[in-house]
Amino acid sequence: MKISLTGIKPTGNIHIGNYFGAIKPALALTEKFFGVYFVADLHALNSNPTPKELQQLIYAVAATWIAFGLDTEKAIFFRQSDIHEIPELTSILSAVTPKGLMNRAHAYKAVLDKNAESGRDPDDGVNMGLYTYPILMAADILLYNSDVVPVGMDQRQHVEIARDIAENLNRIYGKTLKLPEGLIAEDVQSIPGIDGRKMSKSYNNTLPVFVPEKELRKQVMRIVTDSTPPEEPKNPETCNLFQIYKFFGTAERVEEVRQLYLNGGLAYGALKQELFENMLKAFQPARERFNYLMENKSEIDQILTQGAEKARELGRPVLARVRKAVGIDK
Ligand code: TRP
């Protein structure tokens, strides 16, 4: 069975953009692929979160995947930092990674651009974790002989860099590493935030999945709409509320609502209330399971520990092959 691998960085509250853009497609892949999914906690260190904050985020992201139905018997699910083969492979891969390749990575370049704009030193706020982020990610991907890597658009370049690094090692030492393919979930790129921009934690425009009902309702009511009165016709295609609603209504109801937009008769407030109720219904089982797991963290630990054992079993032979290829085996 081919391997589908993805890492999930423990940051912020999971929102519906994460769910439709990353979690749902990755879960669907576990039907056809052997899923290797992990919490990328080493990657999160680059932003120097407090230990307490990081711990909480690791549990929350792990609980999210389990709550949404990741079958941890069929797939493996673990914490990146439990895999001691990862730093070793990262170190070997560093030796075949041109510095120029890191200079071209988007995340690093974005910081350089920001610094240039504000007249700061080019490397202000850049740590080596950020600079070599793609090498650590390449180790994640290459250690398990991954075939496909489902990621959002923003991670596409990182998967390409992982391929480049694998190709370099293969060119220098002979064919050793499998070249992975990125699988980009393009059709769901378009889920807008409550202000119409791309839904993103950094814009503070998300609809989070696992917050108390009251908070969720408040956020749904904050979805920005224009001030066209109910009786007047409106354009559903340019309406942020409709674009979000589409993910939560049945096909017939979405069509009905579309007609209400076009012909007049739609009140935004009523549609928001309906959206809120649909969201609660859609996420009810996941919300319950999430809350249970966050109250019973030892169950999460147990799943992650078992997953790590399986992941290391999978990765060990690959690392052994790499060590042999480069000449550091015993
Ligand atoms: N960099 C990814 C992100 O920020 C997380 C990640 C770490 C990852 N290692 C990975 C994704 C390996 C895919 C494959 O979202």
Side-chain angles (χ1 to χ4, degrees):
M1 211 172 183
K2 289 194 168 184
I3 290 180
S4 157
L5 169 135
T6 201
I8 312 100
K9 219 160 68 171
T11 51
N13 273 337
I14 297 296
H15 55 73
I16 62 169
N18 300 136
Y19 176 65
F20 289 107
I23 300 175
K24 200 175 163 208
L27 288 176
L29 283 173
T30 60
E31 298 291 320
K32 276 202 286 182
F33 291 87
F34 180 63
V36 177
Y37 295 159
F38 61 94
V39 182
D41 53 355
L42 292 174
H43 277 111
L45 289 175
N46 298 336
S47 54
N48 305 155
T50 68
K52 232 176 132 181
E53 218 180 349
L54 183 58
Q55 279 291 329
Q56 187 66 12
L57 288 171
I58 291 169
Y59 281 117
V61 75
T64 297
W65 281 75
I66 302 166
F68 276 128
L70 177 65
D71 182 343
T72 53
E73 297 293 317
K74 233 172 76 187
I76 53 182
F77 189 54
F78 56 96
R79 250 181 217 230
Q80 179 189 34
S81 60
D82 280 341
I83 315 301
H84 302 301
E85 287 74 11
I86 286 293
E88 186 173 343
L89 183 57
T90 302
S91 168
I92 297 173
L93 294 179
S94 298
V96 297
T97 304
K99 177 168 175 279
L101 191 60
M102 298 298 99
N103 291 342
R104 291 193 291 278
H106 295 320
Y108 168 63
K109 267 175 55 186
V111 179
L112 290 194
D113 289 348
K114 252 200 199 144
N115 284 339
E117 259 169 47
S118 47
R120 283 191 295 254
D121 182 86
D123 281 331
D124 199 61
V126 177
N127 58 43
M128 288 308 286
L130 171 68
Y131 189 59
T132 62
Y133 188 106
I135 310 179
L136 177 59
M137 182 154 157
D140 287 332
I141 295 171
L142 300 171
L143 181 65
Y144 314 100
N145 270 336
S146 309
D147 294 283
V148 299
V149 185
V151 284
M153 208 58 139
D154 61 322
Q155 296 297 315
R156 179 192 218 146
Q157 188 200 27
H158 287 148
V159 181
E160 279 160 16
I161 291 176
R163 260 183 93 94
D164 288 347
I165 293 175
E167 273 173 338
N168 284 347
L169 188 128
N170 288 352
R171 189 163 20 78
I172 300 169
Y173 295 107
K175 186 154 178 10
T176 310
L177 291 167
K178 184 182 266 184
L179 304 185
E181 296 283 343
L183 264 192
I184 318 298
E186 268 157 307
D187 50 335
V188 283
Q189 280 308 309
S190 53
I191 187 154
I194 60 169
D195 58 358
R197 292 186 290 175
K198 177 184 153 59
M199 186 172 288
S200 163
K201 195 184 62 135
S202 48
Y203 293 153
N204 200 14
N205 65 355
T206 68
L207 289 174
V209 179
F210 298 115
V211 292
E213 274 187 44
K214 248 185 154 163
E215 219 173 292
L216 178 61
R217 184 164 188 282
K218 212 160 101 197
Q219 195 68 352
V220 170
M221 293 303 154
R222 283 181 53 207
I223 294 175
V224 178
T225 49
D226 61 23
S227 50
T228 324
E231 60 283 2
E232 273 179 42
K234 312 169 185 59
N235 183 355
E237 300 316 317
T238 56
C239 180
N240 191 24
L241 173 59
F242 184 73
Q243 295 310 314
I244 298 172
Y245 180 81
K246 279 203 298 197
F247 285 86
F248 293 94
T250 61
E252 292 113 54
R253 181 65 188 146
V254 169
E255 193 42 43
E256 241 171 64
V257 172
R258 186 198 303 279
Q259 294 306 325
L260 282 177
Y261 266 88
L262 295 173
N263 303 326
L266 179 101
Y268 290 132
L271 189 61
K272 285 181 184 177
Q273 178 63 28
E274 190 179 325
L275 169 65
F276 165 67
E277 285 164 17
N278 287 2
M279 281 183 73
L280 266 192
K281 210 152 111 205
F283 292 134
Q284 194 55 35
R287 285 167 58 89
E288 275 169 23
R289 186 126 179 81
F290 178 89
N291 291 336
Y292 169 82
L293 288 163
M294 291 304 279
E295 296 291 315
N296 295 276
K297 295 201 174 79
S298 62
E299 291 193 24
I300 302 178
D301 283 329
Q302 204 185 343
I303 289 171
L304 293 175
T305 303
Q306 280 172 1
E309 277 166 27
K310 293 189 212 158
R312 296 187 74 185
E313 250 168 61
L314 197 62
R316 242 181 245 125
V318 180
L319 180 62
R321 206 165 69 216
V322 173
R323 289 182 59 120
K324 182 151 189 248
V326 303
I328 57 169
D329 64 330
K330 292 181 202 91

